[in-house]
Each structure stands twice: as C-alpha cells, then as structure tokens.
Amino acid sequence: MRDFETMRDAGAALGIENPYFRQHDGVAGGRSSIGGRSYVNFASYNYVGLNGDPRVAAAAKAAVDRFGVSASASASRLASGERPIHAELEAALAAHHRAEACLTFVSGHATNVTVIGQLMGPRDLILHDRLIHNSVAEGARLSGARRIAFAHNDREAAERELAAHRGRHGRVLVVIEGHYSMDGDLPDLGRFAALVRKHDALLMVDEAHSIGVLGATGQGVAEQCGVDPSLVDIWMGTLSKTLSSCGGYIAGQRRLVDWLRHTSPGFVYSVGLAPPLAASALESLRLLQGEPWRVARLQANAALFLRLARQARFDTGTSAGLGIVPIILGSSLRAAQLAAAAFEGGVNVQPILFPVVPEGAARLRFFLSAEHTTEDIERSIAVLAAARDGLATLKAS
Ligand SMILES: Cc1ncc(COP(=O)(O)O)c(C=O)c1O
C-alpha cells in the first residue's frame, strides 16, 4: 500500500491529475461526455459502436422483463437451471468461431483464470507470449504448471522453448492473443498453429480484441490470417468489448466444453450470466454479422489514425492499424503529461505507464471506433502534436 501511495503522491506533486476512474456521463463511444464536456474518446472498447445501440438496449430490456435481472438470483446454472438465452448465445458464439460448442462465464478475466487453472496441472507446461493478458498469467499460476513466456510474436522463440522443454512435460498449452491490446499487432496464426501441431501441444487464442475488429467481417484473427479456425483448440473471448455486454466464453470441441461445464470452478461455483447481458451480447453479435460496414468503418478509421500519427512523427510501434494504435513516448512522466494535455484539448485517451509496460515503453493507447469521424481523428492528431510540441518548448525554456 505504501508503494502505491508513494507513486500516486508523486504524480500529484508533479501536478498531474489522476487520469483513472474518470466518470462518463452517458454512453462512451467515439465521443463521450465527461463532467459535462464532450470529448473525442479513445478509451473505450466500443469498437463497432454497438454499445448504446437502441436494438441492443431493447434486447436487454426484453430479457429483464422475461427472466429478471439475475440468472437465478445467485446460484449456478448447474445447480438452479438455465435460461434459453444462454443456449442461444452459446450456439451463436460457437457458430461464429466455426466451433462445435461454447460455454459462457460471468467475466472474461475469470474465464481465463478458471479454464487454464482447470485444464493444466503441475506436470504440464504453459508457453505464452510475453505480452499476454494478466488473466492468462493468473490462470497459469493457479494451475501449478511450469510457465515460460516467449518474446512477443516470436514464433521461433516459441519453437526453441518447445524443442527444449516439450519432452519433460505431460500436456503443453501455447497461449497467444489474436490482437494485442498494448501494441495493436497480431500473431502469424497459421505458423503458430503448425508449430503447436508439430510439438503435440494445444493452442489457445484469446480473441478479446479481435472479435468485430479483425477480418473482413470481424470474425477475428482466423479470418484476418486466412486460417482454418479448427486448427485452434481453444478459442477464448470476452463479451465486454465489441459485444457490448460483460462476460467471457470458451469455444471449441463439444467434449472440452461439456467437461468445463461440469468441472470448471468459475462456472460450477459461480452464477450464470445475467439474462440482460446474455441478450445484449447475442443482439450485438447478430448486428455485427448483419452490418459488416461497421467493421470496414472501424478499420478505415484505424488506418487513417495510424497514417496521420506517423505523418506527425509519432512512434506507433508495430501497430497493424486495424483497431488499436499506441503512441509510444518513453517515460511514464511524458505519457502522463501528454495525456493530461490531450484531455485539456478535448481528447480522452489513457496513458499506459510503468509497471504495466516497462519504463521506457510508456504510451498512450488509442482504441478506435466505427463511430469516430474523419474530423475527430484529424483534430485529435493535431491536438496531440501541438501538445507534444508545447511540452518540448516548456522543457527547453
Ligand atoms: C486479452 C484480454 N483477455 C481477457 C480480458 C478480460 O476480459 P474482461 O475485461 O471482459 O473480464 C481482457 C480485458 O481487457 C483482455 O484484454
């Protein structure tokens, strides 16, 4: 607690307003009202603009009217039964991933923790990308398996680890993300899938930031890379981003899903997904599939943002420019100062500071949305460039 308080107090002493826990007055999309002022908003995962869509809200309200707010007033689906909306959502998600079956959980983070914790054990090995989400690392820790991180997106580094350690372990799980949220880049899925087959391992792909973002129709990284989705053993996703709800899921073989349904603690000992959340995710998925222009608009916006940011001489790292673009600034202080100056200029963006990224890699992270206009993006880059130049002038004087 003391360490945390020291860091927080240092920020306050430098006159930097705390950029976290900002209160939004309404729906946060391409724009958001904060404290009564409208901002161009790059800090939400409303990638294709479905959060706030009246059809999604109507589906949630209808589910409340039919089933109530809670799935079962707090018992698990196994103990107190299901609602048809659970099965409908799971069938739609399974079809989306071209998988046999799917199971939903009440949180994306909890999905990774409980599924990895249940699937792997002390004799096993978990290999994951160094930039993997915290929920995967926590699940790996819970499982007691040996855990090795390989260099980001480096298939050859993963191969070296497999060659060196495969023989000493029972099962081996390789975990990657479809679209990395800190850098906005993607793995070469086909090559990872081939590697995993060669070494008799399992491949798990976290699609939290891929659904609705990657591929011509937003199907995810398999569509983007032109890879047969059945080459991935475990698809994981969240409902909290493109699908404008809350919760997580696993899609894969029916045997796997059936086993998780009966054994994974985060499912068996936790409440079922609330009906309005299941209904809003299902309606969002239907709208995503029926309105592919949303994905095209998001990707065009991200490409424009990336091009203008580069033109303005910002370091955008390895971003593919499909939905997420970082502006890498180096020090945490610089990132915090630029975020504060951007906010002054009407642009809401979150700084990512040490220890979330190594010091030297602090950044502002821009989540694009289909709702952004060309003018929003042009103005935001202009605000950022002016803020950067203003900070440089201040430092020089
Ligand atoms: C890659 C990844 N996996 C899992 C999660 C957890 O999902 P949720 O926030 O829906 O619990 C996140 C959340 O940001 C994420 O980025």
Side-chain angles (χ1 to χ4, degrees), residues 28-292:
R31 288 200 154 258
S32 189
S33 169
I34 301 171
R37 180 179 172 196
S38 175
Y39 290 82
V40 182
N41 183 37
F42 294 100
S44 90
Y45 304 133
N46 198 0
Y47 285 119
V48 294
L50 289 171
N51 190 28
D53 186 291
R55 294 164 294 180
V56 174
K61 286 173 194 158
V64 170
D65 289 342
R66 181 164 173 207
F67 302 112
V69 174
S70 168
S72 50
S74 295
S76 81
R77 283 164 59 184
L78 183 136
S80 64
E82 311 223 310
R83 308 294 176 272
I85 193 81
H86 292 132
E88 280 175 56
L89 173 62
E90 287 166 353
L93 286 166
H96 187 82
H97 285 285
R98 311 272 186 272
E100 286 176 8
C102 171
L103 186 65
T104 52
F105 300 75
V106 288
S107 125
H109 190 283
T111 303
N112 274 334
V113 174
T114 199
V115 169
I116 296 172
Q118 178 70 2
L119 192 63
M120 306 302 282
R123 292 182 53 249
D124 300 331
L125 170 67
I126 298 172
L127 267 181
H128 63 77
D129 191 285
R130 181 157 291 147
L131 297 187
I132 205 76
H133 191 256
N134 165 273
S135 50
V136 171
E138 293 293 332
R141 224 152 50 124
L142 174 66
S143 75
R146 182 171 179 198
R147 174 161 84 93
I148 300 177
F150 56 85
H152 177 52
N153 261 341
D154 189 339
R155 193 196 55 89
E156 279 157 20
E159 169 118 55
R160 281 195 296 278
E161 300 294 353
L162 277 170
H165 304 291
R166 173 71 191 93
R168 269 178 261 151
H169 296 277
R171 269 162 301 145
V172 176
L173 181 69
V174 176
V175 194
I176 57 176
E177 291 181 29
H179 191 200
Y180 287 90
S181 68
M182 287 297 164
D183 292 82
D185 55 6
L186 356 163
D188 183 338
L189 183 64
R191 296 183 78 194
F192 269 102
L195 173 71
V196 162
R197 286 288 160 271
K198 180 172 154 199
H199 290 274
D200 186 26
L202 295 164
L203 180 60
M204 177 170 183
V205 181
D206 180 329
E207 289 276 81
H209 294 275
S210 320
I211 299 301
V213 179
L214 301 189
T217 65
Q219 208 187 323
V221 70
E223 185 183 26
Q224 181 74 35
C225 296
V227 169
D228 175 358
S230 70
L231 293 176
V232 173
D233 301 285
I234 304 171
W235 288 107
M236 180 272 168
T238 71
L239 308 179
S240 61
K241 298 176 172 59
T242 285
L243 299 181
S244 61
S245 178
C246 185
Y249 66 88
I250 293 291
Q253 284 185 7
R254 190 170 305 284
R255 269 183 79 202
L256 167 77
V257 167
D258 257 359
W259 175 70
L260 290 173
R261 190 190 296 279
H262 289 89
T263 62
S264 55
F267 183 82
V268 172
Y269 298 102
S270 188
V271 64
L273 198 62
L277 294 177
S280 53
L282 180 59
E283 185 62 16
S284 298
L285 187 59
R286 285 182 181 141
L287 292 172
L288 172 69
Q289 290 167 345
E291 298 176 356

